[in-house]
Amino acid sequence: MIKKLSILVVCVLMGSPVWADSKRPYQDPALSDEERIDDLIARMTLVEKIGQMSQYVGIEHIQKSEKNMSIEEMQAGDAQGLYPNLHSSKIPALIERGEVGSFLHVKNPAEANLLQGYASKSRLAIPLIIGIDAIHGNGLVKGSTIYPTPLTMASSWNLDLVREANVQTAREMRANGAQWSFTPNVDIARDARWGRVGETFGEDTYLVSEMGVAVIEGLQQGDFRGPEKGLATAKHFVAGGDPINGLNLSPMDISMRSLRQDFFPPFKRAVDVGVFSFMAAHNEINGVPAHANRFLFHDVLREEWGFKGFVVSDWMDIERLKTMHRVAETQTEAVFQSVDAGLDMHMHGPDFLEPLADLVEKGRISEARIDAAVRPILLAKFRLGLFESSQVDLGEARAAMFTTEHQQTALQMAQQGIVLLKNEGQILPLKKDQKVFVTGPNADSQAILGDWVFAQPDENVTTVVEGLKALSSVPVDFYDVGSQVKSTSASAIEAAGQRAKEADVAIVVVGENALRQNHKGKTGGENVGRSSINLIGQQLDLVKAVQGSGTPTIVVLVNNRPLSEPWIVENASALIEAWEPGSLGGQAVAEIIYGEVNPSGKLPITIPYSAGHIQSIYNHKPSALVRTYVDAPSQNLYEFGDGLSYTEFEYSDLELSKDEMGPDGSVKASLTVTNAGARAGDEVVQLYIRDNFSRVTRPVKELKGFKRVSLAAGESQTVDFQVTAEMLAYYDLKMKWGVEPGDFTIMVGASSRNRDLKTGLLKVTP
Ligand code: BGC
């Protein structure tokens, strides 16, 4: 084991800023990135190199933990980002010694500048790369624009908006001193109990892939050169969205076929569009933790896909190889397994540098492996322009945030991502002079912001009740039952039922709460699993009491995972799935309720009948739903792709440009979509395929394309899709990727339901 002393000696010897006054070649922006990296890496000591692979949490974050926790708590947990035996006051010296290359969770630009200031005093003055979870806006920072959560974004099926939201997020992030966002989360969410469903783009491989690409393109905008662009992270590699018991970080046992067919594609697409960082998953896959999985990070990611960026560990997961997975007996062994597998950066803290230096000294990890990890990290810093300027203008940070333009994008995304699921007797849209009664824990709550957000200034958030009040022409009667979704008092429920009687229409806003800071009250978000997917607490009683008043009742769900309440589906007059629609979400909900916006969102995930029905994805295998349950209906509550509008769309004349093609061919599928109703609207047209007979079983249908079209009342439009051989390909008996000759059903329509789809037959010839 290398001694602390020897590290110190190396640092002291190398520590004097010998080049202090003259520019070194790597500091010359006129040189190419490669020349700069070659020059810089040749100057670096082993410790400085490993320093680049070392990430720490921000000093303020550590200080907060030090202040709020007892010594015992400090030593017990790793989730608070504090380091036993390392006081925050020692961090500046670590940076100045070149032993830290990156920070995360730095939540204000002044701190970012301070940390960069320390880095500029280090021997080689290598700037820090600062990462943050800007998952749907830079939400950990107060005053940011909070866009709808990824699941809500996916419900919009609008890639342009997703791209735009991420261009804007990169701007807000950079203005606040962070350059790297730990997004997109391209996990495939197949289990509604999992707390992280809301930060994914749903259950479908194709939709998730497209959404992931849009996020990467928005954040990185090509090679992320320049002061307003950021680095994206494809995470979590891989398969955490289908945990055995619905709980975060639980094991995944999954066939190689499913891994390659269902879970890899969004990551492969991310590599193809140049995503520059990857994050490993908390979970094990087939017995090997992702963080020690050489097959994933070396064989597949580097060798097969040609990934050129760097891989970061997830929060303390290298440590968990020892403490949780128990595949390593010591921290040094854990570090060995990770770095050997292909991990390039440690999130986070001091238990990395020394063990890794020791492993290199002993020859278990080569210095070439270290260089291979450091090069892309340096390349990122060069491209981001950090060597030229790592300080941000504190005066400009505020001005870049929550701008009118950014708010408009957040609003539009919410308008398009909210899904209307039921509208009996066309109760919606309401007239503005109808007397409305509103209640429910999420009616006047920041729960609309979702996970990965800290409390935002009230003036930046339009809650549902505020949105309704702003649009109604008569007073809205709001009865506040508190904002805890877990408990509502019996007296409040009774009072709500009484007060609803006075109104023409009642609106009950219920669901979940995934707000980060709401430690006791949250029911969704990271690490918050559920064993059922009903409304939590007494919320259903509240809905029933209001409905029992005899006043027609509209239920609005604010939630981060599919929620299943068959009673509501049967009895409420209308049901709106708002998901977590962001800063202006309440305005968007109100605009839909009053008909200023015609709803157009479609579900990116199936709503099962109950938790017991999981897994009930739309793209299931043919035998999955042959037998039925004796104690419950077997069908889902809502299907993937469902979503209503205030107008009617009709589909006709599906035509294939030819009914046969070779194994490399393509055909055009076109059909006419007509707005047969009386008002303009958007429709998301979906293309599915089915391999009718195959040697290895295939899903009953798979999404392969979608288009959002806007149609005026009475307007018709021809919508075309190119069906390519690649869309029909799969892994055959021998795990070879290709198209098997035979018949395929091509389906186009309004949702994944058979009754909504027009079908055509395509023969693939040998
Ligand atoms: C999460 C990651 C996240 C990281 C940093 C982890 O607990 O799993 O998704 O990026 O923390 O906040």
Coordinates of all heavy atoms in Angstrom, one line a residue, residues 421-464:
L421 N -57.1 11.3 -20.0 CA -57.3 9.9 -20.1 C -58.8 9.6 -20.1 O -59.2 8.5 -20.6 CB -56.7 9.2 -18.9 CG -55.1 9.1 -19.0 CD1 -54.6 8.5 -17.7 CD2 -54.7 8.3 -20.2
K422 N -59.6 10.4 -19.6 CA -61.1 10.2 -19.6 C -61.8 11.5 -19.7 O -61.4 12.5 -19.0 CB -61.5 9.4 -18.3 CG -62.9 9.1 -18.3 CD -63.3 8.3 -17.0 CE -64.8 8.0 -17.1 NZ -65.3 7.4 -15.9
N423 N -62.9 11.6 -20.4 CA -63.6 12.8 -20.5 C -65.1 12.4 -20.8 O -65.6 12.6 -22.0 CB -63.0 13.7 -21.7 CG -63.6 15.1 -21.7 OD1 -64.3 15.5 -20.7 ND2 -63.4 15.8 -22.8
E424 N -65.8 11.9 -19.8 CA -67.1 11.4 -20.0 C -68.1 12.5 -20.3 O -68.1 13.6 -19.6 CB -67.6 10.7 -18.7 CG -68.6 9.7 -19.0 CD -68.9 8.9 -17.7 OE1 -69.5 9.4 -16.8 OE2 -68.4 7.8 -17.6
G425 N -68.9 12.3 -21.3 CA -69.9 13.3 -21.7 C -69.3 14.6 -22.0 O -69.9 15.7 -21.9
Q426 N -68.1 14.6 -22.4 CA -67.4 15.8 -22.8 C -67.5 16.9 -21.7 O -67.8 18.1 -22.0 CB -67.9 16.4 -24.1 CG -68.2 15.4 -25.2 CD -66.9 14.8 -25.8 OE1 -66.2 15.5 -26.4 NE2 -66.7 13.6 -25.5
I427 N -67.3 16.5 -20.5 CA -67.4 17.5 -19.4 C -66.3 18.5 -19.5 O -66.5 19.7 -19.2 CB -67.3 16.8 -18.0 CG1 -67.5 17.8 -16.9 CG2 -66.0 16.0 -17.8 CD1 -67.6 17.3 -15.5
L428 N -65.2 18.1 -20.1 CA -64.1 19.1 -20.4 C -64.2 19.5 -21.9 O -64.6 18.6 -22.7 CB -62.8 18.5 -20.1 CG -62.4 18.2 -18.7 CD1 -61.1 17.4 -18.5 CD2 -62.3 19.5 -17.9
P429 N -63.8 20.7 -22.3 CA -63.3 21.7 -21.4 C -64.5 22.4 -20.6 O -65.6 22.5 -21.1 CB -62.7 22.7 -22.4 CG -63.3 22.5 -23.7 CD -63.7 21.0 -23.7
L430 N -64.1 23.0 -19.5 CA -65.1 23.7 -18.7 C -65.3 25.1 -19.2 O -64.4 25.6 -19.9 CB -64.5 23.9 -17.2 CG -64.3 22.6 -16.4 CD1 -63.9 23.0 -15.0 CD2 -65.5 21.7 -16.4
K431 N -66.4 25.7 -18.9 CA -66.6 27.1 -19.3 C -66.1 27.9 -18.1 O -66.2 27.5 -17.0 CB -68.1 27.3 -19.5 CG -68.6 26.6 -20.7 CD -70.1 26.9 -20.9 CE -70.7 25.9 -21.8 NZ -70.7 24.5 -21.3
K432 N -65.6 29.1 -18.5 CA -64.9 29.9 -17.5 C -65.8 30.5 -16.4 O -65.4 30.9 -15.3 CB -64.1 31.0 -18.1 CG -62.9 30.5 -18.9 CD -62.0 31.5 -19.4 CE -60.8 30.9 -20.0 NZ -60.0 31.8 -20.8
D433 N -67.1 30.4 -16.7 CA -68.0 30.9 -15.6 C -68.7 29.8 -14.8 O -69.5 30.0 -14.0 CB -69.1 31.8 -16.3 CG -69.9 31.1 -17.3 OD1 -69.7 29.9 -17.5 OD2 -70.8 31.7 -17.9
Q434 N -68.2 28.6 -15.0 CA -68.7 27.5 -14.1 C -68.1 27.7 -12.7 O -66.9 28.0 -12.6 CB -68.3 26.1 -14.7 CG -69.3 25.7 -15.8 CD -68.9 24.4 -16.5 OE1 -67.9 24.4 -17.2 NE2 -69.6 23.4 -16.2
K435 N -68.9 27.4 -11.7 CA -68.4 27.5 -10.4 C -67.6 26.3 -10.0 O -68.1 25.1 -9.9 CB -69.6 27.6 -9.4 CG -69.3 28.6 -8.3 CD -70.6 28.8 -7.5 CE -70.2 29.0 -6.0 NZ -71.1 28.5 -5.1
V436 N -66.3 26.5 -9.8 CA -65.4 25.3 -9.6 C -64.9 25.2 -8.1 O -64.6 26.2 -7.5 CB -64.1 25.5 -10.5 CG1 -63.1 24.5 -10.2 CG2 -64.5 25.3 -12.0
F437 N -65.0 24.0 -7.6 CA -64.4 23.7 -6.3 C -63.1 22.9 -6.5 O -63.1 21.9 -7.3 CB -65.4 22.9 -5.5 CG -64.8 22.3 -4.3 CD1 -64.6 23.1 -3.1 CD2 -64.5 20.9 -4.2 CE1 -64.1 22.6 -2.0 CE2 -64.0 20.4 -3.0 CZ -63.8 21.2 -1.9
V438 N -62.0 23.3 -5.8 CA -60.8 22.6 -6.0 C -60.2 22.1 -4.6 O -60.3 22.9 -3.7 CB -59.7 23.5 -6.6 CG1 -58.4 22.6 -7.0 CG2 -60.2 24.2 -7.8
T439 N -59.7 20.9 -4.6 CA -59.1 20.4 -3.4 C -58.0 19.4 -3.7 O -57.8 19.1 -4.9 CB -60.1 19.9 -2.4 OG1 -59.5 19.7 -1.1 CG2 -60.7 18.6 -2.8
G440 N -57.4 18.8 -2.7 CA -56.4 17.8 -2.9 C -55.0 18.2 -2.5 O -54.7 19.4 -2.7
P441 N -54.2 17.3 -2.0 CA -52.9 17.6 -1.5 C -52.0 18.2 -2.6 O -51.0 18.9 -2.3 CB -52.3 16.3 -1.0 CG -53.3 15.2 -1.4 CD -54.6 15.8 -1.7
N442 N -52.2 17.9 -3.9 CA -51.3 18.4 -4.9 C -51.9 19.6 -5.6 O -51.3 20.1 -6.6 CB -50.9 17.3 -5.9 CG -49.8 16.4 -5.3 OD1 -49.1 16.8 -4.4 ND2 -49.7 15.3 -5.9
A443 N -53.0 20.2 -5.1 CA -53.6 21.3 -5.8 C -52.8 22.6 -5.7 O -52.7 23.4 -6.6 CB -55.0 21.5 -5.2
D444 N -52.2 22.7 -4.5 CA -51.4 24.0 -4.3 C -50.0 23.7 -3.9 O -49.5 24.2 -2.9 CB -52.1 24.9 -3.3 CG -51.7 26.3 -3.3 OD1 -51.2 26.7 -4.4 OD2 -51.8 27.0 -2.3
S445 N -49.4 22.7 -4.6 CA -48.1 22.2 -4.1 C -47.0 22.2 -5.2 O -47.3 22.1 -6.4 CB -48.4 20.7 -3.7 OG -47.2 19.9 -3.7
Q446 N -45.8 22.3 -4.7 CA -44.7 22.2 -5.6 C -44.4 20.8 -6.1 O -43.4 20.6 -6.8 CB -43.4 22.9 -5.0 CG -43.5 24.4 -4.8 CD -42.1 25.0 -4.8 OE1 -41.1 24.4 -4.9 NE2 -42.2 26.4 -4.7
A447 N -45.2 19.9 -5.7 CA -45.1 18.5 -6.1 C -45.1 18.4 -7.7 O -44.5 17.5 -8.3 CB -46.2 17.6 -5.6
I448 N -45.6 19.4 -8.3 CA -45.6 19.5 -9.8 C -44.2 19.6 -10.4 O -44.0 19.4 -11.5 CB -46.5 20.6 -10.4 CG1 -46.1 22.0 -9.7 CG2 -48.0 20.4 -10.2 CD1 -46.7 23.2 -10.4
L449 N -43.2 19.9 -9.5 CA -41.9 20.0 -10.0 C -41.1 18.7 -10.1 O -40.2 18.6 -10.9 CB -41.1 21.0 -9.1 CG -41.6 22.4 -8.9 CD1 -40.8 23.2 -7.9 CD2 -41.8 23.1 -10.2
G450 N -41.5 17.7 -9.3 CA -40.8 16.4 -9.4 C -39.5 16.3 -8.7 O -39.1 17.2 -8.0
D451 N -38.8 15.2 -8.9 CA -37.6 14.9 -8.3 C -36.4 15.7 -8.9 O -36.6 16.3 -10.0 CB -37.3 13.4 -8.4 CG -36.1 12.9 -7.5 OD1 -35.7 13.7 -6.6 OD2 -35.7 11.8 -7.6
W452 N -35.3 15.7 -8.3 CA -34.1 16.4 -8.7 C -34.3 17.9 -8.8 O -33.7 18.6 -9.6 CB -33.6 15.8 -10.1 CG -33.2 14.4 -10.0 CD1 -33.8 13.4 -10.5 CD2 -32.0 13.9 -9.3 NE1 -33.2 12.2 -10.1 CE2 -32.1 12.5 -9.4 CE3 -31.0 14.5 -8.5 CZ2 -31.1 11.7 -8.8 CZ3 -30.0 13.6 -8.0 CH2 -30.1 12.3 -8.1
V453 N -35.1 18.3 -7.8 CA -35.4 19.8 -7.7 C -35.4 20.1 -6.2 O -36.0 19.4 -5.4 CB -36.8 20.1 -8.3 CG1 -37.2 21.5 -8.1 CG2 -36.8 19.8 -9.8
F454 N -34.7 21.2 -5.9 CA -34.9 21.7 -4.5 C -36.0 22.8 -4.6 O -36.3 23.3 -5.6 CB -33.6 22.2 -4.0 CG -32.7 21.1 -3.6 CD1 -31.4 21.0 -4.0 CD2 -33.1 20.1 -2.7 CE1 -30.5 20.0 -3.7 CE2 -32.3 19.1 -2.3 CZ -31.0 19.0 -2.8
A455 N -36.5 23.1 -3.4 CA -37.6 24.1 -3.3 C -37.3 25.3 -4.2 O -36.2 25.8 -4.2 CB -37.9 24.5 -1.9
Q456 N -38.3 25.7 -4.9 CA -38.1 26.9 -5.8 C -38.9 28.1 -5.3 O -39.9 27.9 -4.5 CB -38.6 26.5 -7.2 CG -37.7 25.5 -7.9 CD -36.2 25.9 -8.1 OE1 -36.0 27.1 -8.5 NE2 -35.3 25.0 -7.9
P457 N -38.5 29.3 -5.6 CA -39.3 30.4 -5.1 C -40.7 30.3 -5.5 O -41.0 30.0 -6.7 CB -38.6 31.6 -5.9 CG -37.3 31.1 -6.4 CD -37.4 29.6 -6.5
D458 N -41.6 30.6 -4.6 CA -43.1 30.4 -4.9 C -43.5 31.2 -6.2 O -44.3 30.8 -6.9 CB -43.9 30.9 -3.7 CG -44.0 29.8 -2.7 OD1 -43.8 28.6 -3.0 OD2 -44.2 30.1 -1.5
E459 N -42.8 32.4 -6.3 CA -43.2 33.2 -7.4 C -42.8 32.6 -8.8 O -43.3 33.0 -9.8 CB -42.7 34.7 -7.3 CG -41.2 34.8 -7.3 CD -40.5 34.7 -5.9 OE1 -41.2 34.1 -5.0 OE2 -39.4 35.1 -5.8
N460 N -42.0 31.6 -8.8 CA -41.6 31.0 -10.0 C -42.5 29.8 -10.4 O -42.3 29.2 -11.4 CB -40.1 30.5 -10.0 CG -39.1 31.5 -10.1 OD1 -39.5 32.7 -10.0 ND2 -37.9 31.2 -10.3
V461 N -43.4 29.4 -9.5 CA -44.1 28.2 -9.7 C -45.6 28.5 -9.7 O -46.1 29.2 -8.9 CB -43.9 27.2 -8.5 CG1 -44.7 25.9 -8.7 CG2 -42.4 26.9 -8.3
T462 N -46.3 28.0 -10.8 CA -47.7 28.2 -10.9 C -48.3 26.9 -10.5 O -48.2 25.9 -11.2 CB -48.2 28.6 -12.3 OG1 -47.4 29.7 -12.7 CG2 -49.6 28.9 -12.3
T463 N -48.9 26.8 -9.3 CA -49.6 25.6 -8.9 C -50.9 25.4 -9.7 O -51.4 26.3 -10.3 CB -49.9 25.6 -7.4 OG1 -50.8 26.6 -7.1 CG2 -48.6 25.8 -6.6
V464 N -51.5 24.3 -9.5 CA -52.7 24.0 -10.2 C -53.8 25.0 -9.8 O -54.5 25.6 -10.7 CB -53.2 22.5 -10.0 CG1 -54.6 22.3 -10.7 CG2 -52.2 21.6 -10.6

